[in-house]
């Protein structure tokens, strides 16, 4: 599947993305921004899933996102955030204007070299870059099986989307947080309809994918005949300092 098509697949689902996608643990924001800063930027902010954790940690918070549909949702829930249309390769902020840049669930879509140069440009010297992703817990067999259905080509590949080294940055911390989300069967299945590979699939393929996922839930001892169950997550966190 073309990367651009996958990346653009989210542009029309702002409300559903915000409603069904998981958030992030507060501890993740604390690791990236341990003390209050003057200004922070959430880059590739989407509907503000991580942006909302920055608001209490920065006196001024920016959100940059290419999708107006996503930003409309963010503006409605976070009116105090300055939401701007832009991309990681062309950030609409002046030089050295923020102390922290965060990228939640989006860095793998960026053109890494130009994006790192732009992030470095808007950060103050010594500023912080924090990258994070929610991952499936490999110990949860039923969720892992659903991931295999949605992403068959990548099911056994490494999911790391950042390197220890990024141009213009020095690595400071790499860690993970394990946490659990209570979730209904309906919400869990609807969440999959907001995933890029399912979004761009044709109708018959999408129907087959979701049917196969229902079968997984019907057969697992942890989810069988249950309307509510616990979904474990792993949040991977990479923290860098602008060189």
């Amino acid at each position: 599947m073309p990367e651009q098509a996958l990346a653009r697949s989210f542009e029309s689902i702002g409300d559903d993305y915000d409603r069904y996608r998981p958030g992030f643990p507060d501890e993740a924001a604390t690791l990236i921004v341990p003390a209050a800063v003057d200004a922070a930027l959430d880059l590739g902010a989407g509907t503000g899933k991580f942006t909302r954790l920055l608001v209490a940690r920065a006196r001024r918070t920016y959100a940059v996102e290419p999708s107006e549909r996503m930003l409309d949702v963010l503006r409605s829930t976070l009116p105090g955030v300055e939401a701007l249309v832009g991309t990681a390769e062309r950030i609409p902020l002046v030089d050295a204007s923020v102390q922290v840049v965060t990228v939640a669930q989006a860095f793998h879509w960026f053109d890494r070299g130009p994006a790192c140069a732009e992030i470095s440009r808007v950060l103050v010297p010594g500023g912080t870059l924090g990258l994070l992703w929610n991952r499936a817990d490999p110990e949860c067999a039923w969720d892992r099986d659903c991931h295999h259905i949605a992403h068959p080509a990548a099911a056994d590949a490494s999911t790391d989307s950042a390197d220890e080294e990024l141009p213009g940055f020095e690595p400071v911390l790499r860690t993970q947080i394990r946490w659990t989300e209570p979730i209904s069967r309906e919400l869990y299945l609807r969440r999959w309809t907001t995933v890029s590979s399912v979004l761009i699939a044709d109708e018959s393929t999408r129907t087959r994918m979701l049917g196969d996922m229902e079968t997984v839930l019907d057969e697992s001892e942890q989810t069988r005949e249950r309307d509510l169950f616990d979904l474990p997550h792993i949040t991977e966190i990479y923290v860098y300092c602008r060189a």
Side-chain angles (χ1 to χ4, degrees), residues 73-85:
V73 177
L74 188 151
R75 291 180 181 117
S76 69
T77 57
L78 299 170
V81 171
E82 188 166 343
L84 305 167
V85 174

Side-chain angles (χ1 to χ4, degrees), residues 222-233:
Q222 286 75 42
T223 56
R224 182 189 305 141
E225 297 181 351
R226 295 185 182 183
D227 292 326
L228 186 69
F229 34 82
D230 290 330
L231 174 61
H233 294 281

Side-chain angles (χ1 to χ4, degrees), residues 92-127:
L93 295 178
V94 299
D95 296 359
S97 54
V98 297
Q99 286 74 45
V100 176
V101 173
T102 59
V103 185
Q105 216 74 23
F107 189 75
H108 52 291
W109 299 121
F110 299 170
D111 187 348
R112 185 168 299 201
C116 285
E118 271 290 87
I119 293 168
S120 180
R121 180 185 66 78
V122 301
L123 273 172
V124 299

Side-chain angles (χ1 to χ4, degrees), residues 69-207:
R69 184 81 171 266
M70 293 282 195
L71 283 181
D72 285 344
V73 177
L74 188 151
R75 291 180 181 117
S76 69
T77 57
L78 299 170
V81 171
E82 188 166 343
L84 305 167
V85 174
T87 67
E89 298 79 20
R90 185 169 292 182
I91 301 172
L93 295 178
V94 299
D95 296 359
S97 54
V98 297
Q99 286 74 45
V100 176
V101 173
T102 59
V103 185
Q105 216 74 23
F107 189 75
H108 52 291
W109 299 121
F110 299 170
D111 187 348
R112 185 168 299 201
C116 285
E118 271 290 87
I119 293 168
S120 180
R121 180 185 66 78
V122 301
L123 273 172
V124 299
T128 298
L129 168 62
L131 311 179
L132 62 161
W133 287 267
N134 285 328
R135 307 293 194 200
D137 188 330
E139 295 180 7
C140 182
W142 56 269
D143 187 46
R144 186 180 66 240
D145 288 346
C146 288
H147 276 267
H148 285 208
I149 292 166
H151 307 290
D156 297 318
S158 171
T159 55
D160 283 349
S161 297
D163 296 326
E164 290 297 334
E165 296 185 5
L166 292 178
F169 292 90
E170 297 176 356
V172 174
L173 173 71
R174 179 180 179 180
T175 190
Q176 60 179 221
I177 300 169
R178 290 180 177 267
W179 57 288
T180 301
E181 173 193 17
I183 193 169
S184 70
R185 179 187 176 109
E186 179 184 7
L187 192 154
Y188 179 77
L189 290 170
R190 286 183 179 273
R191 177 172 293 173
W192 283 109
T193 67
T194 70
V195 171
S196 57
S197 59
V198 179
L199 277 169
I200 71 168
D202 59 65
E203 185 174 354
S204 63
T205 301
R206 188 182 306 115
T207 299

